[in-house]
Amino acid sequence: MADLSKIRNIGISAHIDSGKTTLSERILYYTGKIHAIHEVRGKDGVGAKMDSMDLEREKGITIQSAATYCTWGDYSINLIDTPGHVDFTVEVERALRVLDGAVLVLCSVAGVQSQSITVDRQMRRYSVPRLAFINKCDRSGANPDRVIEQLREKLQHNPAFVTYPIGLEDKLEGVIDLVNMKAIYFDGPSGDDIRTEEIPANLMPKAKDLRRHLIEVAADHSDALMEKFLMDEEPTAEELTAAIRLGAISMKMTPVFCGSAYKNKGVQTLLDGVTRYLPSPNEVENHALDRDQNEEKVTLSNDDNKPLVMLAFKLEDGKYGQLTYMRLYQGKVDKGDMIYNIATGKKVKVPRLARMHSSEMHDIESATSGDIVAMFGVECASGDTFTDGTVNYTMTSMFVPEPVIELAVAPKDKAGQVNFSKALNRFTKEDPTFRVTRDEESGETIIKGMGELHLEIYIERIKREYQTEVIVGRPKVAFRETISQRADFNYTHKKQTGGSGQYARVGGYFEPLPPDAVESYEFVDDIVGGVIPREYVPACDKGFREAIKEGTLIGQPVVGVRATINDGNTHPVDSSEQAFRTAALMSFREVYNQCKPVILEPIMKLEVSAPEEFQGTVIGQINQRRGVIMGTTTDAGYVVIESEVPLSEMFGYSTDLRSVTQGKGEFSMEFEKYQAVPRNVQEEMVKEYQKKRAEGNK
């Protein structure tokens, strides 16, 4: 059995363009997994190892999280490089769901950006301990001290430098190791030769200050260290390391490393940090729900002799067929074993087990708890739990955000229909945020996703991987409807035909849910005295659920509704489940307009960064798009403008921004919330919808 204390399952995540993939590439190089370094947008045409899709290489971004494994000293590291672009946020979610630790990469010039905040929120959601790596210390304007301040202010971390750069910008030479108080230089063309020297005299006062701060932050997690700190005694490197480790694993402290992945400086010290300060699978508590015991929480243990429990967290349709990435939480699995899918109840044989190295695979015979492996020929969906059949456990599912944008798509010619359907089928299985529906009125196929780039990538993949040309309609925003005031209902459904009829009466009220409600619909059963028999109550709930699928303003789903039933009536012969379902459905339609319905639109959090001289123009542009400026900060000649803008106004924004900033403006955008549209816009939208319906009915 592998020594679990020597395994690290880590992810690398950050804002787009912070250098995650470049960092992963260096890690693979220094751990001996690859023998030459290739850049993300390299001139050699090879591209980064971890960006294995052609599309990733062309656009210079990461689309799918790539998994690999490597060894550093006597430690085994399973590494997942995740995308930084907000449109692929589910890739980050599913990676963090199964990881024990993470490295948050920050750019030493841009610091904490909007996507860094999102990633940090995801790490908190899954309680993933992290280190921070301040990358790009060789760029002009690099300022790690400012970045650590932002970690404190914007992300509420408790950070402390563990390494600090020697020189900045083009004078970056190496890093100071504040635990051992040594200067470390990375010599040779690829930074392979590590040279340890005394700290330069001019940097000694700064190093002493930083070490004192590091001890102060770490002392909160170790009584022995706190005692030494208060007595002004110097702790040993071992004592300090142990305290930093406790702080990092409890997520009460963030150890910060510095360097430049591109210039090959500081990556090896970060790897040391990963093995020293991030937890092994043994130190992380994982839970499953026991379906035989009313979904009671069960703590899983990394014991190979216990029943197998593993989670399929990512699917990929590779050149070898469906590849399923699995994380083992308990027990072990061998090639040829029988495993059970708890979600479907089906049993499958494990035909092939492999460790993935980006798009290459290395076959293995067995895997033990704490491992991340890939399997072939295992039919399942993302998020399914597998066991050996002796336990009925399910792992909790991951958070999947709702799509905010939709497109009508169709294959260019009839011949492409089969491949087109195959592609959509596969993508919906792989990516829970990619949804496909059919518009009943127009008969169109609608795809929904997290943003323009998200859908653009999938359309491009249909063309490339399935050789099918696609006709694409105009992007549409996923609007919603909601109610703004309470209304009572009392509806009787009567239908008399030959034989038994239908009869049901329901009474109660609809009211808006509070803005901070987690669910978008709530059903309250206030029936007393059995005026509606127990067996018909769920039918009322079903009827309401059906009714809110489509509002009457613009035919969009209705959210934020609480439906309460407190009265009703039945007929001894004519009442049925169907009758109550219909009564509930019709009662909602009847009083919907009395609830003063409003249209909601997705509001995006927009962060624009541009040279200061364009500030006025950029703000003007945001105002034209119904944007609300939330704040501006200027730094090193650049202004960062944060605002909230309706998604419907953001189409074509990248072209506009580039043209007014001479190509120097950059922006990132992520979904923030749903908000009511202005009255004039609502009236316009309702008119448009009614006109379309009238035309459709002709």
Side-chain angles (χ1 to χ4, degrees), residues 435-485:
R435 317 265 170 96
V436 180
T437 54
R438 191 176 166 75
D439 185 326
E440 293 307 325
E441 277 179 26
S442 61
E444 291 174 319
T445 301
I446 308 286
I447 58 172
K448 301 180 181 183
M450 301 307 298
E452 278 183 282
L453 181 69
H454 190 204
L455 298 182
E456 195 184 296
I457 295 284
Y458 278 121
I459 288 160
E460 191 60 39
R461 285 181 67 186
I462 295 172
K463 286 181 192 167
R464 292 183 184 204
E465 295 170 33
Y466 289 88
Q467 284 73 53
T468 303
E469 284 295 322
V470 181
I471 303 165
V472 183
R474 280 202 53 191
K476 284 208 314 234
V477 169
F479 289 101
R480 297 276 182 273
E481 297 182 26
T482 191
I483 57 175
S484 59
Q485 68 178 45

Side-chain angles (χ1 to χ4, degrees), residues 113-115 117-118 121 603-607 630 642-645 668-673:
Q113 292 162 280
S114 60
Q115 198 53 26
I117 298 171
T118 306
R121 196 166 55 233
I603 300 291
M604 308 305 277
K605 185 167 143 197
L606 174 72
E607 189 175 282
M630 306 307 280
E642 288 178 27
S643 60
E644 290 180 356
V645 191
S668 69
M669 179 168 82
E670 64 173 305
F671 173 69
E672 177 75 13
K673 60 184 175 193

